[in-house]
Amino acid sequence: MEKILIVEDDPKIATLLQDYLRRYNLDAHITTDFDDVMPLFEELAPHLVLLDINLPKYDGYFWCRKIREISVCPIIFISARDGELDQVMALENGADDYITKPFSYQVVIAKVRAQLRRVYGDFANQYQEPEFHEGSLSFYPLKFTIERAGKTLELSKNEAKLLEVIWRTAPHVANRDLLYEEIWDEVTFIDDNTLSVNVARLRKKLLDLGVKDSIKSVRGYGYQWIYKEES
């Protein structure tokens, strides 16, 4: 049974959503701790999240970004905000869909089931999740994890994208413009220091797995994947 996490501070709406989801054999859970949504998310490991924007402490955009640091599960925003900018911000912060209030519960169910089919059902079975392997090192970009010698480390969303682009581009050099475009989309809002900091963090995690000097800096151009198997 698929698990759904409902992050909605209106108890009436949250309870109605839970009731409808359970009618369709979905295991729906409601969070009551809006100071920190992540402990319940990590404990539950839901297949999908229904997320409001207007929440008591941090808004839905914040929690969407936090979830995206550790998970690629579908996130559907449900909000009274019906402006185009709100929907754009939701999608840019990692959401998969957006429903405006007041809404039809049948529409919510339909969108939830569509996302579950896309990610976990028949449509998903037609898609082979990308994997990267070299020597004893394995990288799973959609899971945000790297593994070596029985040890697994989690990457942030940006670290995973960064590693994917650099590894995928090898043996050629991944230039900075390509990295900006694929990772942050808006080149004008990102400076060289932001990229350098992310590369440094990624190198540190690779080093924690015993992988040394695998990302080479090419001065004035970009980065190159030059992995060598370490004993």
Side-chain angles (χ1 to χ4, degrees), residues 69 137-140 143-148 150-156 159-160 163 201-211:
E69 291 178 2
L137 181 67
S138 297
F139 167 47
Y140 304 94
K143 297 177 182 177
F144 302 164
T145 59
I146 47 176
E147 300 178 0
R148 183 175 184 266
K151 183 177 181 180
T152 301
L153 291 181
E154 292 187 354
L155 304 175
S156 69
E159 290 166 352
L163 180 56
R201 290 173 178 167
L202 179 56
R203 283 172 169 159
K204 173 63 169 58
K205 290 185 178 179
L206 287 166
L207 187 59
D208 289 343
L209 290 179
V211 179

Side-chain angles (χ1 to χ4, degrees), residues 166 173-176 179 195-197 199-200 203 213-226:
I166 294 174
V173 179
N175 68 62
R176 288 175 175 270
L179 294 169
L195 177 58
S196 298
V197 168
V199 171
R203 283 172 169 159
D213 304 322
S214 56
I215 299 177
K216 176 184 177 182
S217 298
V218 179
R219 187 177 180 84
Y221 190 76
Y223 299 93
Q224 183 181 23
W225 180 252
I226 50 170

Side-chain angles (χ1 to χ4, degrees), residues 41 72 75 138 196:
F41 177 88
V72 293
I75 299 174
S138 297
S196 298

Side-chain angles (χ1 to χ4, degrees), residues 83-170:
E84 288 185 2
L85 181 58
D86 295 306
Q87 298 183 44
V88 169
M89 287 183 62
L91 295 171
E92 289 189 344
N93 278 281
D96 297 277
D97 205 343
Y98 193 102
I99 302 172
T100 56
K101 300 176 182 176
F103 52 78
S104 161
Y105 286 94
Q106 290 297 327
V107 169
V108 173
I109 295 297
K111 285 181 174 285
V112 166
R113 295 176 73 177
Q115 289 293 334
L116 293 174
R117 286 196 307 270
R118 179 182 66 82
V119 178
Y120 310 105
D122 294 338
F123 298 153
N125 292 336
Q126 300 172 16
Y127 173 71
Q128 185 66 38
E129 180 177 331
E131 299 177 0
F132 294 80
H133 303 280
E134 193 161 356
S136 61
L137 181 67
S138 297
F139 167 47
Y140 304 94
L142 294 186
K143 297 177 182 177
F144 302 164
T145 59
I146 47 176
E147 300 178 0
R148 183 175 184 266
K151 183 177 181 180
T152 301
L153 291 181
E154 292 187 354
L155 304 175
S156 69
K157 181 180 179 181
N158 284 347
E159 290 166 352
K161 284 185 176 181
L162 182 61
L163 180 56
E164 181 179 5
V165 176
I166 294 174
W167 196 329
R168 190 182 68 217
T169 307

Side-chain angles (χ1 to χ4, degrees), residues 5-17:
L5 176 61
I6 301 168
V7 185
E8 164 62 67
D9 66 327
D10 184 321
K12 182 177 180 180
I13 293 176
T15 301
L16 286 171
L17 280 169

